[in-house]
Amino acid sequence: MTLSGNDPTGGAGIQADIEALASMGCHAAPVITALTIQDTGTVYRFDPVDPSVVVEQARAVLEDMPVAAFKIGVVGSVENVESIHSILIDYPHIPVVLDPVLAGGGGGSLADAEVIDALISMLLPQTTVLTPNSKEARLLAALADSLDACAQELLDMGVEFVLITGTHENTPTVENRLYAEHRRLETFTWERLPESYHGSGCTLAATIAGLLAQGLEPFTAIHEAQQYTWEALKHGYRIGMGQSLPNRLFWARDDETGG
């Protein structure tokens, strides 16, 4: 089950989650938390869905079919955080992957200070895997003086695994750092691609959720999800005037025949 916003470009949000989850062999149950007006460069408008509608969408599905993992993206409002929290505490055995989307890929705020505080107090303690980029990690752990310190602070907030992605850092390669049990478990290094992408974080988090749903343990799911996401970015395309979009269905394309 993915709880996130709708992006009309199809690059991020619910559609990104559905494509990534399908690529992992999962059936996606999408719960819309917000409607947006955006293109591949800018978020122009952001309307949270009524919290009662968020809860009713989720509970209708949860009472009808088995859910193997939750993926959470844009939450929309403090009230929606409260609604999502009420769902998670009723299903504590289901792993939770939280992508703390605080701004659109091309700019535009998607969460204010109150929403950030609500995420910290209500959702982080329920989270199995948190996938902030370095900017988001610094916003969530504002008192920390390094990314390692940010991760420790996030673990102290109740998160089980923290994967801080390094695409926004000024490094020749992309370094993604994985933390758990109050230490850095691994630094994953990936070739830095020349483009910037709209929906990369959604893709990564949804893929991790899909692999957890398939029964992989978190470390393996996190590693394999990065490989898939990097390939989706490498095969990405720029069809708008802003950022490139990940090609999450690259695996279904026959490059030799152009199909």
Side-chain angles (χ1 to χ4, degrees):
M1 174 174 287
T2 172
L3 303 97
S4 191
N6 184 62
D7 169 17
T9 74
I14 284 289
Q15 182 167 322
D17 295 346
I18 292 170
E19 291 178 354
L21 289 166
S23 296
M24 297 303 108
C26 296
H27 173 86
V31 173
I32 306 292
T33 58
L35 300 176
T36 71
I37 298 174
Q38 61 181 304
D39 54 27
T40 54
T42 306
V43 177
Y44 299 102
R45 181 171 168 178
F46 176 76
D47 291 337
V49 170
D50 185 277
S52 66
V53 177
V54 174
V55 168
E56 289 175 28
Q57 288 179 86
R59 292 201 181 277
V61 174
L62 286 160
E63 292 169 11
D64 182 52
M65 61 180 71
V67 170
F70 290 114
K71 184 270 180 179
I72 302 170
V74 168
V75 291
S77 65
V78 171
E79 293 76 15
N80 281 353
V81 173
E82 294 169 346
S83 296
I84 294 169
H85 174 260
S86 74
I87 295 165
L88 298 184
I89 60 175
D90 286 344
Y91 295 88
H93 62 287
I94 300 177
V96 177
V97 181
L98 174 58
D99 176 20
V101 184
L102 307 181
S109 176
L110 296 173
D112 59 21
E114 290 184 355
V115 170
I116 292 173
D117 288 344
L119 283 172
I120 291 170
S121 63
M122 285 184 275
L123 295 191
L124 265 58
Q126 312 298 323
T127 297
T128 309
V129 182
L130 183 72
T131 62
N133 61 41
S134 54
K135 291 182 177 180
E136 291 161 344
R138 292 184 177 102
L139 286 171
L140 291 169
L143 299 180
D145 59 2
S146 68
L147 287 179
D148 285 345
C150 285
Q152 298 307 323
E153 191 171 324
L154 294 169
L155 292 171
D156 288 341
M157 293 173 186
V159 179
E160 189 174 348
F161 291 86
V162 176
L163 178 68
I164 299 180
T165 59
T167 53
H168 293 286
E169 297 301 289
N170 185 23
T171 53
T173 57
V174 174
E175 295 182 357
N176 297 339
R177 305 178 183 187
L178 176 62
Y179 303 82
E181 300 174 348
H182 298 287
R183 63 189 179 92
R184 191 195 302 189
L185 297 182
E186 189 80 43
T187 299
F188 302 96
T189 302
W190 303 95
E191 177 189 347
R192 184 175 291 279
L193 299 170
E195 304 294 331
S196 64
Y197 297 90
H198 182 62
S200 56
C202 307
T203 304
L204 176 61
T207 304
I208 295 171
L211 291 170
L212 292 177
Q214 294 287 13
L216 272 67
E217 52 87 20
F219 184 91
T220 303
I222 290 164
H223 186 201
E224 292 190 9
Q226 291 175 79
Q227 180 67 56
Y228 165 81
T229 301
W230 187 86
E231 292 287 347
L233 300 182
K234 181 182 177 183
H235 289 85
Y237 43 83
R238 186 170 183 263
I239 52 176
M241 293 184 287
Q243 294 181 301
S244 295
L245 306 184
N247 181 1
R248 287 171 285 265
L249 303 180
F250 67 88
W251 52 268
R253 181 181 177 86
D254 184 349
D255 288 329
E256 292 184 6
T257 62

